[in-house]
Amino acid sequence: MPADAPAPASLPVDRENLRPDVDAALSAFLDSQRAQLAAIGEDAAPLAQATADLLTGGKRLRAAFCYWSWRAHGGQVDDGRRRAAVRTGAALELFQAAALFHDDVMDNSDTRRGRPAAHRAFAARHRDAAWSGSDVQYGSSAAILLGDLCLIGSQAEIRGALVGVPEDVALRTRTLFDDMQTEVTVGQYLDVLAQAVPWGEDLDADEARARAVIRSKSARYSVEHPLALGAALAGASPDRLAAVPTYGLPIGEAFQLRDDLLGVFGDPSTTGKPAGDDLREGKRTVLVSRALRTATPAQRELLLGALGDPALDLATVDTLRGLLVETGAVAAVERLIDDLSEQAFAALDAADLAAPGAEVVAELARAAVQRTA
């Protein structure tokens, strides 16, 4: 992919009324959830509101990959199956919300999309009300349950999406959706494991572990699985379904590598997270692994000593950013993103997908790897 590839004039998620339709599906889910929780007990209302707050943001990227893959594999706007493609996109958004609620607890994150993360917001509610017990435990417990509610919601939404879809198509789609959920859950565990095992002793193993986490926790569910779900809904042949990972996985991996760069160098006003937050969280990324390969002993000591310190001030964050640049780690990750992008676009061209879906999937891929937030 050329570095000067033009940005799309409008985001693909805004075309063919996709965003409003996905938002309408999510709004219908939220209305149903509010009513169900209210019937259980009025004290549950904050759970519904927290879910609504998180679902209000987001790029709808996964829904867009799913829908435009459906179009690229022959789906037509006047096809009754369009409803299934839209609602599957809504199911993906709910699954992502579940992953974000849980991930923020595991990463001990303070913010999400410019707001306090759910576990922080519920902890603050506990403190403000002077309730008994631990405010931290209360907040974490509430966020975990919020994630569980969104997982339940994603299951309900995919089930509703597949009503009226031919049985073989519905089975293939549901199997893909279930496999995605399993893989992301295992990927989360692999990420937890990667944070716990020794780091910096075997750099090849460190990077292999980091890339395995990228693939299972993010790349496949962010890009490859949404593309595969759209293809399955369109009734794609086994050969076409088998081709999806050849472009979906490298796009997804490049997407996450870009996210790792933004986690260190991104502008908080656009990322919604504090500057250098990934350094404070101690994320063991390909970026850090590449830095350790070429770091001097002093740089290595500084990086390993500071990584994971939640009290890092901006001056130290700036020093670490400089170190990542000086060691060539940033340039190395940018080259890896370019290599993965070229691989993905070559495979996408070879897939010979239908217009206009093929062109829009390519636009989505460019937006994913060139983004600034």
Side-chain angles (χ1 to χ4, degrees), residues 16 27 39 50 65 95 108 162 176 187 209 235 241 247 258 279 298 310 331 360:
E16 296 191 0
S27 180
F65 271 122
F95 178 68
N108 203 28
L162 297 176
L176 282 168
R209 189 177 290 114
L241 280 172
Y247 51 87
R258 176 64 62 200
L279 297 172
V360 180

Side-chain angles (χ1 to χ4, degrees), residues 203-225:
L203 296 177
D204 289 339
D206 289 344
E207 181 158 333
R209 189 177 290 114
R211 291 189 70 172
V213 169
I214 283 175
R215 295 184 188 108
S216 58
K217 180 183 171 181
S218 179
R220 289 195 171 100
Y221 110 89
S222 295
V223 181
E224 180 188 329
H225 284 301

Side-chain angles (χ1 to χ4, degrees), residues 29-157:
F29 162 77
L30 289 168
D31 288 345
S32 175
Q33 186 187 68
R34 284 192 189 93
Q36 184 178 18
L37 297 189
I40 295 171
E42 62 180 21
D43 286 342
L47 295 174
Q49 187 57 51
T51 303
D53 289 343
L54 185 60
L55 288 173
T56 297
K59 306 174 187 67
R60 306 290 186 249
L61 183 68
R62 292 157 187 84
F65 271 122
C66 177
Y67 177 84
W68 287 105
S69 178
W70 174 75
R71 293 283 276 125
H73 287 87
Q76 301 297 315
V77 292
D78 57 354
D79 186 340
R81 215 175 293 178
R82 182 183 184 278
R83 178 198 64 85
V86 168
R87 288 196 67 180
T88 299
L92 285 165
E93 293 295 318
L94 282 163
F95 178 68
Q96 187 201 14
L100 295 179
F101 280 131
H102 288 163
D103 202 44
D104 284 344
V105 173
M106 288 186 282
D107 287 347
N108 203 28
S109 298
D110 290 327
T111 61
R112 170 63 61 183
R113 294 173 179 167
R115 298 176 178 176
H119 63 288
R120 299 290 191 227
F122 275 83
R125 178 189 295 271
H126 183 286
R127 286 195 303 275
D128 292 345
W131 291 336
S132 62
S134 165
D135 59 315
V136 173
Q137 182 64 43
Y138 176 83
S140 296
S141 299
I144 290 169
L145 294 170
L146 278 166
D148 292 346
L149 284 171
C150 285
L151 278 174
I152 295 166
S154 73
Q155 294 288 333
E157 196 65 19

Side-chain angles (χ1 to χ4, degrees), residues 273-293:
K273 296 187 74 85
D277 216 33
D278 280 7
L279 297 172
R280 295 186 183 90
E281 291 175 8
K283 289 191 176 179
R284 296 180 174 183
T285 60
V286 173
L287 177 65
V288 174
S289 176
R290 291 293 175 100
L292 290 173
R293 287 182 183 276

Side-chain angles (χ1 to χ4, degrees), residues 230-265:
L233 284 168
S237 68
D239 286 348
R240 285 196 173 273
L241 280 172
V244 170
T246 66
Y247 51 87
L249 181 56
I251 292 169
E253 194 169 357
F255 169 83
Q256 183 56 46
L257 289 167
R258 176 64 62 200
D259 196 66
D260 291 343
L261 287 170
L262 291 172
V264 177
F265 295 95

Side-chain angles (χ1 to χ4, degrees), residues 346-371:
L348 194 55
D349 288 342
D352 192 28
L353 300 178
E359 292 78 8
V360 180
V361 167
E363 287 184 25
L364 281 165
R366 283 193 288 271
V369 301
Q370 294 178 345
R371 64 202 173 94

Side-chain angles (χ1 to χ4, degrees), residues 152-204:
I152 295 166
S154 73
Q155 294 288 333
E157 196 65 19
I158 192 66
R159 185 171 61 249
L162 297 176
V163 171
V165 172
E167 186 176 349
D168 60 330
V169 171
L171 177 60
R172 192 175 301 119
T173 304
R174 185 56 195 255
T175 299
L176 282 168
F177 197 85
D178 291 345
D179 288 348
M180 174 192 70
Q181 294 178 98
T182 299
E183 185 169 28
V184 172
T185 302
V186 173
Q188 289 277 30
Y189 168 74
L190 293 178
D191 194 17
V192 171
L193 176 65
Q195 301 298 111
V197 298
W199 174 258
E201 298 175 3
D202 184 339
L203 296 177
D204 289 339

